[in-house]
Amino acid sequence: MSNEIPQRVFSGVQPTGNLTLGNYLGAIRRFVALQEHHSCIYCVVDLHAITIAQDPRELMDATRSVAAAYIAAGIDVSKHIVFNQSRVHQHAELAWVFNCIARMGWLSRMTQFKEKAGKDREKASVGLFSYPTLMAADILLYRGTHVPVGDDQKQHLELTRDIAQKFNNDFSDRIAELGLGVEMEIGREIVNGYFPLTEPLIEGPATRIMSLRDGTKKMSKSDPSDMSRINLTDTEDDIAKKIRKAKTDPEPLPSEVEGLENRPEAANLVSIFGALTDKEPGTVLQEYGGKPFSEFKPILAEVAIDAITPITSEMRRLSADPAYIDSVLANGGEQASAIAAETMRDVRDIVGLLA
Ligand code: TYM
């Protein structure tokens, strides 16, 4: 029995449509940075993708393409685990247990469900409603302690903590009896639990990259307008054109961050520039304050092209060899399965499910 939960990073990306600059700056680039000092598991969440109807062939291509993006961005698959979720059946199994822990009220408050289901909720899949319990299962199956995500996933991670806490609480006697508990500090209390209370890592300059057409909307792979986003598959010309046409206001850039208030499009372009060049918005404005967008945009385009095109061409090279990608996913799946099987054995024991 081990009485310490080791630090472990877990995160995932859905294989639905093209990856965007938002996915890269808000998530994938941070996955790469975290691998230096942590043991990491990065998943392509294909079971989440099918909460909305997908074309089977496109789903397989998109799954390989997200894996290619992870590798092209610099994730070292010889040191960390990369796999697709559906390969490890325990994700679905633990999600069922969590469906019985989470409350209808908790899930009904999820803003992502409300947005994705739209007006006609009766027609949304049950999977879309219970999506966050599968996400909690993804993380807790590996007893993930740190989860790097963009700002839009914050509510799902709070729910993951609520599920872990309720599970620990509902089964506290049994967890203690089996000697499977770990001491954790919650608020000022020390409690004994099986699942860690995961820390969301929502940090850095790019936790919420906005649409290039509307600075109040998130940049998203599902936006009907392709001009609203930069895709990781875009050519240099596409990137330059999208930045040139990005919506802005008529004023030049301010010299200080306060001047970005109520200027969402200007603020977005400055934060993209900052994220791509590892500079604080204030530093970007010291350099470019007073300049019109007609001067700033071409420089931003160049910076974006320099950052993205090496990844795009590596993704293309990798995608030409699907057998290699499949072998990475199979290998990662095996490693993930070994950890998942151990957790599920404990969970079955805790809950009272005969093996
Ligand atoms: P998904 O596939 O929508 O997005 C993948 C990651 O990209 C981040 N992201 C952004 N960050 C900044 N600006 C943006 N405009 C932007 N758009 C997307 C997301 O926050 C996310 O980190 N539910 C998750 C996938 C998931 C998961 C998990 C994540 C399933 N299980 C377990 C972490 C842990 C999702 O739909 O991400």
Side-chain angles (χ1 to χ4, degrees):
M1 179 190 83
S2 142
N3 265 343
E4 220 174 74
I5 299 185
Q7 289 208 351
R8 183 175 275 145
V9 171
F10 183 96
S11 200
V13 173
Q14 287 197 72
T16 43
N18 284 327
L19 292 174
T20 70
L21 183 66
N23 296 128
Y24 176 62
L25 293 175
I28 299 174
R29 197 176 68 148
R30 296 174 47 231
F31 299 176
V32 180
L34 283 161
Q35 67 178 352
E36 291 302 318
H37 301 291
H38 296 83
S39 139
C40 305
I41 304 182
Y42 296 127
C43 189
V44 187
V45 292
D46 48 5
L47 293 175
H48 276 110
I50 62 167
T51 56
I52 289 174
Q54 301 294 332
D55 174 85
R57 286 198 176 279
E58 281 173 18
L59 177 61
M60 288 190 239
D61 287 347
T63 300
R64 292 192 180 105
S65 171
V66 174
Y70 284 171
I71 303 167
I75 290 167
D76 182 347
V77 295
S78 70
K79 298 206 179 91
H80 303 276
I81 300 176
V82 166
F83 74 109
N84 59 308
Q85 184 187 31
S86 61
R87 236 174 239 276
V88 180
H89 63 80
Q90 287 90 346
H91 286 253
E93 201 179 342
L94 185 58
W96 180 257
V97 175
F98 288 169
N99 275 339
C100 304
I101 299 283
R103 304 289 95 182
M104 290 289 287
W106 300 359
L107 290 172
S108 305
R109 282 191 284 276
M110 295 292 112
T111 52
Q112 187 166 300
F113 172 72
K114 290 184 205 164
E115 275 166 29
K116 287 202 176 166
K119 288 207 182 80
D120 201 354
R121 279 197 210 164
E122 296 283 310
K123 292 243 169 72
S125 72
V126 176
L128 190 66
F129 183 70
S130 66
Y131 179 113
T133 62
L134 177 59
M135 184 159 157
D138 296 341
I139 299 165
L140 296 175
L141 193 51
Y142 306 96
R143 300 216 264 171
T145 54
H146 295 82
V147 181
V149 281
D151 177 69
D152 59 340
Q153 297 301 315
K154 187 165 179 231
Q155 201 184 25
H156 289 159
L157 291 187
E158 281 161 4
L159 188 94
T160 300
R161 287 169 70 95
D162 290 343
I163 289 177
Q165 197 159 357
K166 188 167 189 308
F167 182 95
N168 289 343
N169 203 37
D170 289 356
F171 296 102
S172 58
D173 291 348
R174 180 80 179 147
I175 292 167
E177 180 190 322
L178 294 168
L180 288 171
V182 176
E183 284 201 340
M184 285 181 259
E185 209 178 320
I186 297 175
R188 288 210 199 110
E189 257 182 281
I190 302 280
V191 298
N192 206 283
Y194 180 71
F195 286 119
L197 299 190
T198 304
E199 283 293 327
L201 299 176
I202 303 173
E203 50 202 26
T207 54
R208 196 170 179 81
I209 298 291
M210 308 309 276
S211 155
L212 298 178
R213 305 302 307 160
D214 177 352
T216 62
K217 264 172 51 189
K218 193 185 70 163
M219 182 183 283
S220 156
K221 37 193 170 189
S222 57
D223 193 303
S225 164
D226 192 56
M227 291 300 283
S228 71
R229 62 180 162 261
I230 292 174
N231 304 304
L232 288 193
T233 48
D234 281 348
T235 63
E236 294 189 15
D237 286 350
D238 292 334
I239 298 173
K241 181 167 126 205
K242 287 177 180 179
I243 292 180
R244 193 168 63 243
K245 298 222 160 157
K247 185 178 166 201
T248 45
D249 55 43
E251 301 298 317
L253 282 171
S255 304
E256 274 155 28
V257 178
E258 292 72 39
L260 291 172
E261 248 171 63
N262 301 319
R263 298 182 64 188
E265 284 85 15
N268 188 37
L269 295 187
V270 169
S271 59
I272 293 176
F273 192 100
L276 289 167
T277 54
D278 274 327
K279 286 183 186 151
E280 293 296 321
T283 318
V284 177
L285 292 177
Q286 267 169 21
E287 226 171 301
Y288 297 100
K291 292 221 187 300
F293 283 103
S294 57
E295 267 182 58
F296 182 66
K297 280 178 168 179
I299 306 171
L300 173 59
E302 205 174 309
V303 165
I305 288 168
D306 284 352
I308 296 165
T309 50
I311 300 173
T312 310
S313 58
E314 183 60 5
M315 276 175 73
R316 213 172 292 128
R317 193 185 71 76
L318 290 162
S319 298
D321 188 359
Y324 168 70
I325 303 279
D326 290 356
S327 73
V328 168
L329 294 173
N331 187 279
E334 264 176 42
Q335 295 176 63
S337 287
I339 307 170
E342 233 175 85
T343 307
M344 232 17 249
R345 230 180 352 255
D346 290 347
V347 169
R348 288 173 149 275
D349 234 359
I350 292 169
V351 174
L353 304 171
L354 285 178

